[in-house]
């Protein structure tokens, strides 16, 4: 399954392949530690710097990881089943 974390900010690119910085760490934490199966977690910072429209299905959340507060939106990758 796929779970994704997305953040926005300045990163350090080394040798064209390695990325380092707070946005990389935050996205990793969201995608690996908080997101569940078939879910994308996008920081509020990333949404503010994009033209992405947050849908009604999105749930706004806040998490504390390593004493850092992260505001994010939980976006399911699939539509809920309709019965």
């Amino acid at each position: 399954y796929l779970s994704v974390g997305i953040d926005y900010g300045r990163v350090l690119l080394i040798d064209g392949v390695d990325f380092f910085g707070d946005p990389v760490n935050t996205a990793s934490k969201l995608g690996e530690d908080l997101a569940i199966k078939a879910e994308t977690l996008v920081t509020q910072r990333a949404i503010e710097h994009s033209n992405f429209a947050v849908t009604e299905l999105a749930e706004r959340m806040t998490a504390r990881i390593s004493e850092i507060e992260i505001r994010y939106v939980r976006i399911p990758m699939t539509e809920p089943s309709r019965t």
Side-chain angles (χ1 to χ4, degrees):
Y1 68 88
L2 180 66
S3 58
V4 178
I6 299 173
D7 194 13
Y8 175 89
R10 294 176 59 104
V11 297
L12 175 62
L13 174 62
I14 297 179
D15 296 331
V17 294
D18 291 320
F19 292 88
F20 297 91
D22 288 341
V24 176
N25 298 337
T26 300
S28 175
K29 288 288 185 188
L30 289 175
E32 293 182 9
D33 297 345
L34 296 176
I36 60 173
K37 181 179 179 179
E39 180 174 73
T40 300
L41 303 182
V42 183
T43 65
Q44 189 63 40
R45 177 172 48 199
I47 290 170
E48 291 168 358
H49 286 89
S50 74
N51 59 2
F52 179 73
V54 178
T55 68
E56 292 179 18
L57 294 175
E59 182 180 2
R60 297 182 186 280
M61 309 287 290
T62 301
R64 288 194 66 79
I65 300 173
S66 303
E67 301 302 318
I68 297 170
E69 186 173 279
I70 303 170
R71 292 181 308 145
Y72 63 95
V73 176
R74 175 172 274 160
I75 303 169
M77 291 183 194
T78 59
E79 294 286 329
S81 62
R82 298 176 192 205
T83 54

